[in-house]
Amino acid sequence: MDRVRSEELLHLVELMKLKNVAKSEYLAEFIDGIIRETYLRLKLLDVLSTPEITLNVEEQKPLDEIIRTLEDMCKHYEAHLAELRKLRVAAKTPLELELVAAMEKSLERSHVAIRMLINALTETTARG
């Protein structure tokens, strides 16, 4: 991955140099689209190289507090989805559009999963 990242950085530098000498605005905008795509690939490579996140928590919370926290998470997901819809409209390149769509789907899946978890936990407490 380091070699790919290094080559993408070199491409980014060359594209930025090329954009600076572009004679027409159309060509500069075209090159800017390629720069944006390259930059996004670099960011994705950064994400792929992030180490696994672990957290050791010894504190235990009551189930009703956990459910409230999960409900707050759902509200945040709904707000994030609204923001992503704005990003979709503002996307300038196909890759940006794909990334926003993938993020939307991921948030929707997480939102549904959290809702299912809340339902399962509240059903468990109702029976218990």
Side-chain angles (χ1 to χ4, degrees):
M1 281 298 173
D2 287 339
R3 182 182 59 76
V4 173
R5 182 179 288 110
S6 175
E7 288 176 2
E8 288 286 15
L9 282 168
L10 289 173
H11 293 172
L12 190 60
V13 168
E14 292 303 319
L15 287 165
M16 292 179 98
K17 288 178 187 177
L18 183 59
K19 181 182 174 191
N20 285 336
V21 298
K23 299 289 184 205
S24 74
E25 189 175 320
Y26 174 79
L27 186 56
E29 286 295 318
F30 185 81
I31 294 168
D32 187 62
I34 300 169
I35 289 170
R36 294 173 71 82
E37 298 258 342
T38 305
Y39 182 75
L40 286 170
R41 283 194 304 276
L42 280 166
K43 288 298 186 185
L44 288 171
L45 287 170
D46 287 343
V47 169
L48 290 173
S49 64
T50 302
E52 187 175 320
I53 299 170
T54 58
L55 178 65
N56 295 325
V57 178
E58 295 181 18
E59 173 190 358
Q60 291 190 1
K61 292 183 176 183
L63 190 56
D64 60 332
E65 190 176 328
I66 292 171
I67 292 171
R68 275 195 305 277
T69 301
L70 292 171
E71 288 171 344
D72 287 344
M73 288 172 64
C74 280
K75 289 177 188 171
H76 293 149
Y77 284 144
E78 291 163 9
H80 295 164
L81 281 167
E83 289 299 315
L84 281 173
R85 289 185 184 106
K86 292 177 191 173
L87 279 177
R88 185 181 346 130
V89 172
K92 294 183 179 179
T93 68
L95 182 56
E96 285 176 321
L97 194 56
E98 287 177 40
L99 287 174
V100 171
M103 288 173 57
E104 271 185 285
K105 291 293 181 198
S106 177
L107 271 174
E108 287 169 352
R109 284 191 304 269
S110 293
H111 186 251
V112 168
I114 295 293
R115 282 278 166 222
M116 291 170 66
L117 181 59
I118 290 169
N119 289 341
L121 291 173
T122 52
E123 188 176 298
T124 301
T125 58
R127 279 194 232 156

